[in-house]
Amino acid sequence: MSIYLQTFAAIFPTQTKGKYTKCKHLGKASSKAYLMAVEQVARRAKIQGLQQSVDTLLQGSADLVEEAEKYKQD
């Protein structure tokens, strides 16, 4: 059974120079390429989760500053 990695945008280079595809062949399950891809997907999910947390904290901080400025004016 062959495994493919798919994305929403064409980001994987093809054998044709300058062309990209949405799918990348990873080989058979448990192959080295497959295991590396699984690790990459897991890392990407962690990075996106951390980025979302940072964005939420920054937005919360900005909201707190805004509220503090309102109370200073009163």
Side-chain angles (χ1 to χ4, degrees):
M1 181 170 129
S2 293
I3 306 295
Y4 291 87
L5 182 62
Q6 292 183 306
T7 62
F8 292 108
I11 61 170
F12 301 114
T14 63
Q15 292 179 348
T16 305
K17 188 175 181 178
K19 293 205 175 204
Y20 295 89
T21 182
K22 293 181 182 182
C23 298
K24 181 177 181 180
H25 183 262
L26 300 176
K28 293 183 179 183
S30 78
S31 69
K32 186 176 181 179
Y34 174 80
L35 295 175
M36 286 175 48
V38 168
E39 288 175 7
Q40 289 173 349
V41 169
R43 281 192 296 262
R44 173 54 49 198
K46 289 178 185 178
I47 290 169
Q48 287 174 337
L50 289 170
Q51 185 62 54
Q52 185 176 6
S53 297
V54 168
D55 292 343
T56 300
L57 289 170
L58 290 172
Q59 183 61 47
S61 175
D63 291 345
L64 286 172
V65 168
E66 184 180 321
E67 288 295 317
E69 287 176 358
K70 284 182 185 178
Y71 286 110
K72 283 183 182 178
Q73 291 176 357
D74 291 341

